[in-house]
Amino acid sequence: MTRTLELEINFLKKKILSVCTIVEENVRDAVKALVKRDTDLAAKVIDADEEIDALEVEIEEECLKTLALHQPVARDLRFIIAVFNINNDLERIGDLAVNIAERAMSLASCANIDIPFDYTSMAEKVLLMVKKSLDALVQMNPELGREVCEEDDEVDVMNREAYSKVQERIRLYPERVDCLIQLPAISSELERIADHATNIAEEVIYLAKGEIVRHKIEKPQLRVVKSGTGNNFETK
């Protein structure tokens, strides 16, 4: 690696981490705005999205410039492509934070609505996944990336739990359905943030090991079942 390319790669690392910091803060503030019915904080999240969009364009252009000028190969090439993809995931997380903030502003006008699920705990879990996925990138640690991938299942469970609790609350208070119906979308948006964190972790695994894990699904196994009419097959 040339000295110039090394400087470019270090610059990309710093830039992607700075975006991550802003995105983390926006997600945390969006959930705080929801819980505290703070419309000013929600508006701040929405306004901050412009900065994230601008940084996404800047990093994308820097990646393309580095590819064109230095024509990196092997690990350096994989790193730049990974940053390119991760940059997109972070921008999408920023968009999801805006969605949560917009719902927080809408719910602030709903009088006496009780939120039946702890969105703060779910958000903290999701944000930890985002942070760990970026730490995995900086440390080039595929095992940390695998931890993030495994934790995605926990967030899926939280999302289902939130949906179930909101569904129960709607049955109890059908007159508040217009407000309560927005709550499952918030847990769904947090779950999608966790999916983007998982995408980042998968990029790190590919970068460190050259292993593509995103399409690895456990395939159902066939087994033979004896019956009176012959052999049947069923999945296991």
Side-chain angles (χ1 to χ4, degrees):
M1 185 195 304
T2 66
R3 176 63 178 161
T4 309
L5 178 56
E6 184 181 357
L7 290 172
E8 291 284 355
I9 284 176
N10 286 335
F11 175 77
L12 285 171
K13 279 183 183 179
K14 288 177 184 176
K15 272 292 178 185
I16 205 74
L17 285 174
S18 68
V19 176
C20 183
T21 300
I22 298 168
V23 166
E24 280 187 70
E25 183 180 356
N26 259 23
V27 175
R28 190 171 281 111
D29 284 349
V31 174
K32 191 183 296 183
L34 168 72
V35 173
K36 296 188 174 182
R37 313 289 176 84
D38 189 335
T39 55
D40 290 337
L41 187 57
K44 177 190 166 190
V45 171
I46 294 167
D47 291 342
D49 192 53
E50 288 186 13
E51 182 182 3
I52 295 170
D53 290 344
L55 284 168
E56 187 220 4
V57 171
E58 183 183 344
I59 291 173
E60 183 176 309
E61 290 176 345
E62 194 66 32
C63 286
L64 293 173
K65 184 184 80 174
T66 304
L67 288 170
L69 292 179
H70 300 285
Q71 298 181 350
V73 295
R75 190 164 184 162
D76 296 333
L77 176 61
R78 291 205 303 269
F79 177 82
I80 295 167
I81 292 172
V83 168
F84 190 93
N85 292 332
I86 289 166
N87 184 42
N88 180 258
D89 280 307
L90 288 174
E91 191 274 335
R92 289 296 301 127
I93 292 172
D95 288 344
L96 290 165
V98 169
N99 291 349
I100 294 170
E102 288 173 344
R103 294 188 186 279
M105 293 183 83
S106 177
L107 285 166
S109 62
C110 295
N112 302 322
I113 182 173
D114 180 30
I115 297 176
F117 181 76
D118 185 6
Y119 287 99
T120 304
S121 294
M122 185 176 182
E124 288 300 331
K125 176 68 178 176
V126 167
L127 284 169
L128 182 60
M129 287 177 65
V130 174
K131 184 178 185 306
K132 283 172 74 172
S133 66
L134 267 292
D135 286 345
L137 174 68
V138 173
Q139 299 168 20
M140 205 56 62
N141 186 339
E143 296 311 314
L144 192 56
R146 291 184 199 280
E147 283 181 27
V148 173
C149 295
E150 290 167 3
E151 288 168 359
D152 189 47
D153 289 340
E154 296 175 36
V155 176
D156 292 341
V157 170
M158 288 179 165
N159 184 33
R160 289 194 292 271
E161 182 185 348
Y163 182 83
S164 176
K165 287 188 175 181
V166 172
Q167 198 175 37
E168 181 183 347
R169 193 57 55 92
I170 288 172
R171 282 196 295 267
L172 291 172
Y173 304 101
E175 71 280 3
R176 299 180 187 173
V177 66
D178 288 346
C179 291
L180 289 167
I181 201 68
Q182 297 187 60
L183 295 175
I186 293 167
S187 61
S188 177
E189 279 152 357
L190 286 170
E191 190 269 337
R192 286 169 64 196
I193 291 173
D195 287 342
H196 285 291
T198 302
N199 290 347
I200 294 170
E202 289 169 348
E203 290 288 346
V204 173
I205 295 168
Y206 170 69
L207 183 58
K209 296 283 192 178
E211 180 186 353
I212 299 174
V213 297
R214 64 180 176 275
H215 295 309
K216 287 191 175 178
I217 339 176
E218 187 177 342
K219 295 182 179 179
Q221 298 176 358
L222 288 176
R223 64 189 179 95
V224 179
V225 180
K226 298 287 186 181
S227 72
T229 58
N231 294 337
N232 295 319
F233 295 91
E234 66 177 34
T235 57
K236 182 179 178 182

